[in-house]
Amino acid sequence: MAPYQNLEEYNLEITDEVRERYSSIIEEIGEDVAREGLLKTPERAAKAMLFLTQGYQQDAAEILRGAMFKEDYDDMVIVKGIELYSLCEHHMLPFFGKAHIAYIPNGQIVGLSKLPRIVDVFARRLQVQERLTHDILECINDTLKPKGVAVVIEAAHMCMMMRGVQKQNSVTTTSGFRGQFEKIETRNEFLKLISSDLA
């Protein structure tokens, strides 16, 4: 046995129900679900959908609380370029991009990996980008209680690229600021840092 295995676990009853629904959809659009290339597609699609919406079963605040540490550091902490993948709740098509998060500690810091994890918790639900930005912002603000928190998300939406207006090069930017980041000088410092390449 390998020293480490990352195993995906699925509720078999729910997976079977979703698989049957995908099988029906494939038939309804005029395909042959018994065709060789499609034999396992309903099951794969069901597992993909359950994976992409696993955020409903996760508690972002609990993830943050599990890695909070007392620390006197009180300058800006930024994690930028966090990849995110979500599903638009209007068409159930993907939108994807990057999140940039900053906070100013108020006696406590949080393990850095927890910020990308809470992005995933909220992104792995049916979403709109505006709510996703708000959910991340308010979770950090309410749980960590920092002096300030900022979130900026830049994303491309397949519902705009593949259908509808079919604009392939458009990017949507949303932002939210609380506490010290509502001051223009702090906000500008954050925006300058996420825009620059420090490496």
Side-chain angles (χ1 to χ4, degrees), residues 83-190:
E83 294 179 11
L84 70 87
Y85 303 91
S86 192
L87 290 176
C88 159
E89 69 179 32
H90 299 139
H91 304 97
M92 293 179 68
L93 288 172
F95 67 92
F96 55 92
K98 293 183 178 180
H100 313 288
I101 300 174
Y103 74 96
I104 299 172
N106 188 20
Q108 294 201 91
I109 59 171
V110 67
L112 294 177
S113 69
K114 301 305 181 246
L115 297 177
R117 283 196 62 195
I118 67 164
V119 170
D120 281 349
V121 169
F122 291 117
R124 288 177 180 164
R125 302 176 182 185
L126 300 183
Q127 276 287 13
V128 294
Q129 185 174 329
E130 296 88 340
R131 186 190 316 120
L132 176 59
T133 305
H134 178 267
D135 287 347
I136 295 166
L137 180 77
E138 295 303 332
C139 179
I140 296 169
N141 195 52
D142 294 345
T143 308
L144 192 57
K145 302 192 185 312
K147 293 178 181 175
V149 58
V151 176
V152 170
I153 293 178
E154 305 167 283
H157 293 248
M158 297 304 286
C159 59
M160 288 180 62
M161 298 166 73
M162 291 179 67
R163 64 172 308 284
V165 295
Q166 298 182 52
K167 300 302 180 190
Q168 282 75 38
N169 298 310
S170 62
V171 174
T172 301
T173 302
T174 49
S175 62
F177 305 96
R178 294 289 183 273
Q180 293 294 320
F181 287 96
E182 294 176 271
K183 296 180 179 178
I184 192 67
E185 61 272 16
T186 310
R187 183 184 308 186
N188 284 345
E189 180 185 353
F190 165 67

Side-chain angles (χ1 to χ4, degrees), residues 8-19 46-47 50 57:
E8 291 182 0
E9 295 184 8
Y10 294 89
N11 180 309
L12 295 180
E13 183 179 345
I14 294 173
T15 304
D16 283 345
E17 290 177 7
V18 177
R19 177 181 55 78
K47 288 182 175 179
L50 294 174
Q57 281 72 54

Side-chain angles (χ1 to χ4, degrees), residues 16-28:
D16 283 345
E17 290 177 7
V18 177
R19 177 181 55 78
E20 287 300 320
R21 289 186 173 97
Y22 271 114
S23 183
S24 296
I25 290 169
I26 292 169
E27 288 179 341
E28 289 292 333

